[in-house]
């Protein structure tokens, strides 16, 4: 299976008195880049989700949003923590004994004191398994969307490989005739330019130059690279970086073919190849 780096997943899970929600978005990136938007009540969940994503994905910019919302407004109850309140009372009495002019704490200040209000809230320890279950399910959905997108990209890439094979096959029979024609033109020009130059020297110079414009090796390498692209796509897995390298190699050979071309037909084929390679390169950037 080949995976795109573009995907989306959004799930929610009932965790009793609240509903936990998670949203995952991923786009292409050279490396695995994670960004989190998580409320304070779920801040503990970030390392859990980060580890799960790192174990599941290898490339892509992934944004994770998580929230926890009360299932029914007003359902949570609030009570005063008697132990903390008693400790605060004793501490205030000690301060007053030492500083008689000290101002007593107001009701509001007491209620805002850390630990005084014992809210009937969900605890991190209880939510951790729920976070893992929800994150795993969201990752499964995200990978499913990336797989579907990857399947479409593979179809497009293989189609371009097929088109490039046709153009490479069209170039093969052209090369010998194009080189022979060019050699003849060069020979005639040399004869006209240097009438006194002996025939053997002319043949030597023309043969050397003809070897430099022969593109048979480039055509062979293009075919080999296309074979490798097809093999990598059919093998699947994390193929993005390998295919990106192959696009560079294909482009290099197409450029050489264009620069060494001695016929309009070969030049046209090289231009077509470069167009297909650019189309493939754009899509390869989206593969994991």
């Amino acid at each position: 299976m080949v995976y795109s780096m573009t995907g989306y997943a959004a799930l929610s899970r009932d965790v009793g008195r609240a509903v936990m929600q998670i949203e995952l978005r991923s786009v292409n990136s050279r490396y695995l880049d994670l960004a989190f938007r998580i409320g304070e009540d779920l801040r503990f969940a970030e390392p859990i989700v980060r580890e799960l994503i790192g174990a599941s994905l290898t490339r892509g910019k992934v944004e994770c949003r998580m929230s926890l919302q009360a299932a029914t407004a007003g359902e949570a109850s609030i009570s005063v923590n008697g132990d903390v309140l008693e400790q605060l009372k004793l501490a205030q009495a000690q301060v007053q004994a030492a500083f008689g002019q000290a101002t007593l704490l107001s009701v509001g200040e007491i209620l805002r004191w850390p630990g005084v209000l014992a809210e009937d809230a969900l605890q991190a320890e209880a939510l951790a398994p729920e976070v893992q279950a929800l994150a795993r399910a969201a990752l499964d959905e995200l990978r499913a969307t990336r797989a579907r997108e990857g399947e479409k990209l593979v179809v497009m890439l293989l189609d371009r490989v097929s088109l490039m094979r046709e153009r490479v096959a069209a170039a093969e029979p052209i090369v010998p005739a194009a080189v022979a024609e060019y050699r003849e033109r060069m020979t005639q020009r040399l004869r006209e330019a240097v009438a006194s130059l002996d025939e053997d020297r002319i043949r030597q110079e023309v043969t050397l130059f003809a070897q430099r414009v022969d593109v048979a090796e480039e055509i062979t390498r293009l075919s080999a690279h296309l074979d490798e692209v097809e093999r990598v796509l059919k093998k699947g897995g994390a193929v993005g970086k390998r295919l990106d390298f192959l696009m560079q190699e294909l482009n290099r050979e197409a450029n050489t073919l264009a620069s060494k071309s001695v016929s309009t037909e070969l030049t046209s084929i090289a231009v077509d190849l470069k167009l297909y390679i650019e189309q493939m390169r754009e899509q390869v950037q989206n593969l994991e």
Side-chain angles (χ1 to χ4, degrees):
M1 183 70 70
V2 173
Y3 293 92
S4 167
M5 285 187 281
T6 302
Y8 177 79
L11 294 176
S12 60
R13 188 180 182 89
D14 190 342
V15 291
R17 296 180 302 278
V19 175
M20 188 186 302
Q21 298 175 327
I22 185 171
E23 181 181 7
L24 297 175
R25 297 175 181 268
S26 70
V27 295
N28 61 313
S29 177
R30 190 173 181 181
Y31 305 104
L32 183 61
D33 182 10
L34 307 182
F36 290 88
R37 304 288 186 271
I38 300 179
E40 287 300 323
D41 48 0
L42 284 175
R43 183 57 58 188
F44 73 92
E46 180 175 332
I48 298 174
V49 179
R50 182 182 293 274
E51 182 178 353
L52 289 174
I53 294 175
S56 180
L57 308 177
T58 59
R59 293 179 71 197
K61 183 176 182 180
V62 183
E63 180 179 330
C64 173
R65 296 177 180 268
M66 290 191 72
S67 63
L68 193 64
Q69 297 180 349
T72 304
E75 189 173 320
S77 61
I78 298 176
S79 60
V80 175
N81 190 323
D83 293 337
V84 176
L85 191 63
E86 185 63 30
Q87 294 173 11
L88 187 59
K89 179 181 178 180
L90 292 175
Q92 179 174 252
Q94 291 176 351
V95 171
Q96 281 188 301
F99 303 96
Q101 302 301 319
T103 303
L104 295 175
L105 293 170
S106 68
V107 174
E109 290 171 331
I110 293 173
L111 291 177
R112 286 195 297 271
W113 195 269
V116 168
L117 289 181
E119 185 175 357
D120 186 16
L122 295 165
Q123 300 298 314
E125 293 79 6
L127 284 177
E130 302 289 351
V131 168
Q132 284 192 335
L134 183 61
R136 290 182 190 278
L139 276 168
D140 287 343
E141 183 171 321
L142 180 69
R143 286 185 63 81
T145 62
R146 286 167 59 128
R148 288 193 294 270
E149 182 68 18
E151 187 176 359
K152 295 177 183 177
L153 293 178
V154 168
V155 171
M156 177 268 178
L157 292 170
L158 289 176
D159 177 67
R160 295 304 182 276
V161 168
S162 179
L163 291 173
M164 290 180 67
R165 285 191 188 281
E166 292 178 5
R167 300 307 286 150
V168 170
E172 288 187 73
I174 296 174
V175 174
V179 172
E181 181 184 351
Y182 190 75
R183 180 187 289 112
E184 183 59 32
R185 291 203 309 268
M186 287 295 297
T187 302
Q188 186 60 35
R189 289 177 185 175
L190 281 172
R191 287 197 183 104
E192 293 172 357
V194 189
S196 61
L197 198 63
D198 66 83
E199 195 69 21
D200 288 339
R201 180 66 183 276
I202 291 175
R203 282 196 296 269
Q204 289 174 7
E205 294 295 331
V206 170
T207 299
L208 288 173
F209 194 82
Q211 289 174 353
R212 290 199 292 269
V213 298
D214 192 342
V215 292
E217 289 187 11
E218 284 71 20
I219 290 176
T220 299
R221 285 195 289 267
L222 279 167
S223 297
H225 293 328
L226 290 173
D227 289 342
E228 181 64 8
V229 170
E230 194 167 359
R231 186 194 70 79
V232 170
L233 286 171
K234 291 180 178 179
K235 179 182 178 183
V239 301
K241 291 183 178 179
R242 177 62 179 166
L243 288 176
D244 188 49
F245 170 75
L246 287 170
M247 292 306 106
Q248 296 177 37
E249 294 302 304
L250 282 168
N251 194 57
R252 189 195 319 277
E253 300 303 335
N255 282 333
T256 305
L257 179 63
S259 65
K260 294 173 66 173
S261 173
V262 292
S263 75
T264 56
E265 291 177 288
L266 283 174
T267 300
S268 176
I269 289 173
V271 170
D272 288 343
L273 290 174
K274 292 178 68 173
L275 175 61
Y276 295 143
I277 292 166
E278 186 58 32
Q279 292 174 350
M280 294 174 69
R281 189 203 298 271
E282 290 178 2
Q283 301 305 322
V284 162
Q285 301 301 315
N286 293 318
L287 291 178
E288 183 177 350

